Amino acid sequence: MAATLKDVAALAGVSIKTVSNVVNGYGFVKPENRRRVEEALEATGYRPNVGARNLRRGRTGFIAMVVPELSVPYFGELVSLVISAAADHDWNVLIEQTQGVRDRERDALSALGPHMVDGAILSPEALTAEDLAVLDPGVPFVMLGEHSVHAAADHVAIDNVAAAKTAVAHLAALGRTRIAAIGANPARGTATLRLRGYTEALTEAGLPINETLIAPAAKYHRREGAQAMATFLDLPEPPDAVFCFNDLLAIGALRTAADRGLWVPEDLAVVGFDNIEESAYAIPRLTTVAPDKQAIAETAVNLLHSRVVDRDNREPQTIQAAFRLEVRGSSRPRAATRSPRP
Amino acid sequence: MAATLKDVAALAGVSIKTVSNVVNGYGFVKPENRRRVEEALEATGYRPNVGARNLRRGRTGFIAMVVPELSVPYFGELVSLVISAAADHDWNVLIEQTQGVRDRERDALSALGPHMVDGAILSPEALTAEDLAVLDPGVPFVMLGEHSVHAAADHVAIDNVAAAKTAVAHLAALGRTRIAAIGANPARGTATLRLRGYTEALTEAGLPINETLIAPAAKYHRREGAQAMATFLDLPEPPDAVFCFNDLLAIGALRTAADRGLWVPEDLAVVGFDNIEESAYAIPRLTTVAPDKQAIAETAVNLLHSRVVDRDNREPQTIQAAFRLEVRGSSRPRAATRSPRP
């Protein structure tokens, strides 16, 4: 038989109101009474009826997180961090996968609503500002990832142009002159920004922009990175470095380089983006742009909480999370002489 | 303004009942009427009120999936497949992460209930049969992963003993005689079974069981695999092969082998378990036990659907999913002469 507030109050020798205050974090409770209530909660194994509590508060107890694919490690890691941050606010997280397809992103947005969730965190790839203007989800939401189109919503993102510039400037500083890019995709907001950072860094380094060294990628998976790298290596003058718009593309590029008998970084330096855990174990270890994922998750959840619970009605905010370039074996300076791998 | 059933019926020139039958998949609808309704649904952009529909059906529209960690790729891939399979039954999926900690697994179980979800898919690591006997979640549930303790619930799993035996027999057939294992953990059901498969295969191959070649792993992460491999390589007689109880451990082992200047598979053959996508891109590509994840996800969701919707009250079932050994570069036969990597 489940313990009730009354059972807890009887055991602690306090009023039901006092137990309720402790459980819900309301009001002032004398330290001695708090201690007795906490002991009684422990002894009885009391569990609050979360459903009923949310109903009283006019909340569902859920937030939605809309991402392209959980099987992409960046999103797996991000969702994991969001679930932890949401739990601190008593929120459960509903996951919706869109495969980054515009129609499915629109569907996910229009399926939201106050009957289902208190708010949402969206990580769209193809959604446009026009979509967002038409499809009001009816609940507060936070957008993750920088977008070339501006929407009237809170945003949390790193500065993608600056991050890409940092990565490519690093390759140029190593003396690489044929620096390729993998991941161009006009339909993806972040791809456009990373491409801009790439071209700006080349120009600042006095290097030409060579269209044959810019590979598109429909998806940001390992396979696409491997294929793009194979195409580059078939060129009469292949690249001596490659900046990939995410780590999975870079891991695909590393795989192709190994298949072709190239040495990384001696023959080809490789830089990725996301700092997924896999990149630190790649052979060689992958240099990558490391966004502060923990900060992105916590900031997004806290912003949502302030909109939903504190009914914060300020203008939409754009919060920039930090990034750093994590330099590892895949882009160490060119060795004077070759040494056997690894 | 959202379209209603009435709008759709007016446009199609049929009764509201006919539209409802098409939308809900009930009853017989003449092909011609079905075509007209489908066109009208498309033209009006009608969306069913899923919340109201679930209420009528006495369902919440949600199932829970309880997993250790989404940031572990095996679970990211599995959850992604479950979300797709659940969508075919109009189910949304609530994700709960437990970190594989027994208390958190018990909490997740006791927080379930018919007010929140229609059913649950559990992938526990530390939960015992006693826990399950006490903590009735009050909704149908399916357990993933084989467990040494039997619980009165539906199970979907591969034969872990046979799978581990297949992996180790493969290493023995390559002529390896000092075959190590990474991942022993008495608190994890699958670890116990995989360890049994390992020892059985050694015995059948006429090889001794050497306790110094069995490494425990508290977590099945890359870091633990790398550390266990380092310990093995410090032995006076290090192993010439290693069977890791998941791919992440194996990827950590590959990393340490590279750091110590070993060649894989020449000096050390490595086999993992799970066939996460990363394993096909590892350098060298990782040989691994490949469970049929798609079948596991679909079988679990379909079992749950039959319990919840068809109110199937048969005895708990145990369904065995298929596996195969995916042989790749990390365990190819020993080369007669060394060739430069990769």
Side-chain angles (χ1 to χ4, degrees), chain B residues 158-174 201 242-244 247 269-275 279 286-292 321-332:
Chain B
I158 64 164
D159 181 339
N160 275 284
V161 176
K165 269 181 90 163
T166 304
V168 176
H170 160 71
L171 291 168
L174 296 176
V242 60
F243 168 51
C244 302
D247 284 351
V270 180
V271 175
F273 203 114
D274 282 348
N275 193 28
S279 66
L286 181 65
T287 296
T288 181
V289 174
D292 188 343
F323 71 86
R324 65 177 197 284
L325 185 70
E326 187 79 41
V327 178
R328 302 198 184 107
S330 71
S331 71
R332 289 269 148 73

Side-chain angles (χ1 to χ4, degrees), chain A residues 150-173:
Chain A
H150 191 72
D154 293 327
H155 272 78
V156 182
I158 64 163
D159 181 339
N160 276 283
V161 176
K165 270 181 89 161
T166 303
V168 176
H170 160 71
L171 291 169

Side-chain angles (χ1 to χ4, degrees), chain A residues 222 255 258-259 277 282 285 342, chain B residues 222 255 258-259 277 282 285 342:
Chain A
R222 298 173 186 86
R255 183 64 254 176
D259 286 339
E277 192 186 277
R285 291 180 175 86
Chain B
R222 298 174 185 87
R255 182 64 254 176
D259 287 338
E277 192 186 281
R285 290 179 176 86

